[in-house]
Amino acid sequence: MRKSALLSIGEVAGRTGLAVSAIRYYEEEGLIAPERNAGGRRRFLRSDIRRLSFVMIAQRVGFTIGEIRAQLQKLPDGRTPTKKDWTKISRGFSRDLDARIDTLNRLRDNLDSCIGCGCLSLQRCHLVNPKDEAARDGPGPQFVLRDKN
Amino acid sequence: MRKSALLSIGEVAGRTGLAVSAIRYYEEEGLIAPERNAGGRRRFLRSDIRRLSFVMIAQRVGFTIGEIRAQLQKLPDGRTPTKKDWTKISRGFSRDLDARIDTLNRLRDNLDSCIGCGCLSLQRCHLVNPKDEAARDGPGPQFVLRDKN
DNA sequence: CTACTTCCTCAAGTTAACTTGAGGTCAAGA
DNA sequence: TCTTGACCTCAAGTTAACTTGAGGAAGTAG
């Protein structure tokens, strides 16, 4: 096994804990773009490991592959990302996280007064028609819980 | 249109904002168990609307149908749930929410020191191998981000 | 009674994020 | 050189949570 600056897909899998098939899939999805050697095999930069780590963490938080791709597109194309590059990405990431945390907090706080109390007199329920979800949810629970019974 | 104590699937759809097909699906999944009339049509209790509302809200927070079913099984079988019944459910729900919020908070706090700083010297990174995810994630990011580069 | 709407079941399709399998290639050690 | 083991591509399968469609029955307005 030649000790090289570039890593094989197996090595990357070992270091990230990802399945080889997942890594190939991420390439298809444009999250990484490893080079190929003469034989057609993928050769990864060490910085690709960080990239993949970012992918995994972002997924844990609930971002879709599409959203992650959008974030990663802020990174430079050719060269290995620097401190500043990652910091830029981290900003949007944090903002999204804050929003999610806010939503959950509100949800939990309202849970007691809405479901917890049992009355469910939800004219005033904040779980109903939450404005903070970017209205991407279509109809959603707007009409929910209006009933007396 | 007869004004009845029992609701048709269309009325329930209208009140909840759910698609008729989704409501049927939820029945298949055991989240609701409407009765049938002589002609074989579903007849819902008014309390089923609350049940479905709970389903929608729980999904917004990220619970799977299976998890929601588990929660709902704490509700009484035959009779319409009371204040106390919903309160009981609300407890577990809140605990889960708290856990999720905690996770997100830690994640965001660590984001700056791990990705944000750009150094990514992650011997000490808390995003790595988080113990708080109930270990259900298989391999996961344990091996992630150990690299210098 | 007729027409029309609503509902029924059952099978198949959809999207995301991957995995699995078939059939074949490349590379490294003995 | 021979033999593994790691890799390659491409097609198809998988799970969750639904939606869509076909073909038919039930309920209601006129």
Side-chain angles (χ1 to χ4, degrees):
Chain A
M1 196 192 280
R2 214 168 22 112
K3 200 67 188 171
S4 151
L6 299 175
L7 306 165
S8 73
I9 196 169
E11 288 167 331
V12 173
R15 281 171 178 288
T16 57
L18 285 168
V20 165
S21 60
I23 298 175
R24 293 205 189 100
Y25 174 70
Y26 290 151
E27 180 183 12
E28 238 177 87
E29 287 297 309
L31 301 185
I32 42 173
E35 295 169 21
R36 302 297 180 111
N37 71 1
R41 288 160 178 230
R42 292 171 181 83
R43 293 298 138 183
F44 296 82
L45 298 173
R46 290 182 156 277
S47 62
D48 283 330
I49 290 182
R50 180 138 62 229
R51 233 179 136 90
L52 287 172
S53 303
F54 178 82
V55 171
M56 297 169 85
I57 291 171
Q59 280 197 302
R60 276 239 328 274
V61 189
F63 289 98
T64 68
I65 297 245
E67 290 165 338
I68 297 170
R69 180 175 37 227
Q71 295 283 324
L72 285 175
Q73 264 154 15
K74 294 175 191 160
L75 286 178
D77 251 21
R79 78 188 152 73
T80 293
T82 68
K83 187 191 192 87
K84 276 206 166 65
D85 295 321
W86 282 110
T87 303
K88 205 164 66 179
I89 289 223
S90 168
R91 292 240 200 288
F93 199 87
S94 279
R95 253 196 305 277
D96 261 325
L97 272 183
D98 279 341
R100 268 160 219 253
I101 290 169
D102 269 20
T103 301
L104 285 189
N105 270 317
R106 262 194 305 264
L107 198 50
R108 187 205 41 199
D109 291 348
N110 290 141
L111 195 63
D112 265 359
S113 56
C114 286
I115 292 182
C117 77
C119 72
L120 283 156
S121 60
L122 291 165
Q123 322 297 346
R124 57 190 186 220
C125 179
H126 299 291
L127 297 178
V128 179
N129 199 13
K131 308 184 192 69
D132 48 308
E133 279 276 57
R136 56 157 179 192
D137 295 323
Q142 292 91 317
F143 310 118
V144 171
L145 291 173
R146 288 233 184 85
D147 272 73
K148 286 273 186 53
N149 214 10
Chain B
M1 196 193 280
R2 214 166 24 106
K3 200 65 189 171
S4 152
L6 298 175
L7 306 165
S8 73
I9 196 169
E11 288 167 331
V12 173
R15 281 170 180 289
T16 58
L18 285 168
V20 165
S21 59
I23 298 176
R24 293 204 188 100
Y25 174 72
Y26 291 152
E27 181 184 10
E28 236 178 89
E29 288 297 309
L31 302 185
I32 41 173
E35 293 169 23
R36 301 299 180 111
N37 71 0
R41 288 161 176 227
R42 293 171 180 83
R43 293 300 139 182
F44 296 82
L45 299 172
R46 289 181 158 278
S47 61
D48 283 331
I49 291 183
R50 180 139 61 230
R51 231 180 138 90
L52 288 172
S53 303
F54 178 82
V55 170
M56 297 169 84
I57 291 171
Q59 281 198 300
R60 276 239 327 275
V61 189
F63 290 98
T64 68
I65 297 245
E67 291 165 337
I68 297 170
R69 181 176 33 228
Q71 295 283 323
L72 285 176
Q73 264 153 16
K74 295 176 193 159
L75 286 178
D77 249 22
R79 77 187 153 72
T80 294
T82 68
K83 185 192 194 84
K84 276 206 167 67
D85 296 321
W86 282 110
T87 304
K88 205 164 68 181
I89 289 224
S90 169
R91 293 241 201 289
F93 198 87
S94 280
R95 255 197 303 277
D96 262 325
L97 272 183
D98 279 341
R100 268 160 219 254
I101 291 169
D102 268 20
T103 301
L104 286 188
N105 269 317
R106 264 194 304 262
L107 198 51
R108 185 204 44 199
D109 291 347
N110 291 139
L111 195 63
D112 265 0
S113 56
C114 286
I115 293 183
C117 76
C119 70
L120 282 157
S121 59
L122 291 165
Q123 322 297 345
R124 57 189 188 221
C125 179
H126 299 292
L127 295 180
V128 179
N129 198 15
K131 308 186 192 70
D132 47 311
E133 279 277 56
R136 55 158 180 192
D137 295 325
Q142 292 91 315
F143 311 117
V144 172
L145 291 171
R146 290 234 182 85
D147 272 71
K148 287 271 185 54
N149 216 10

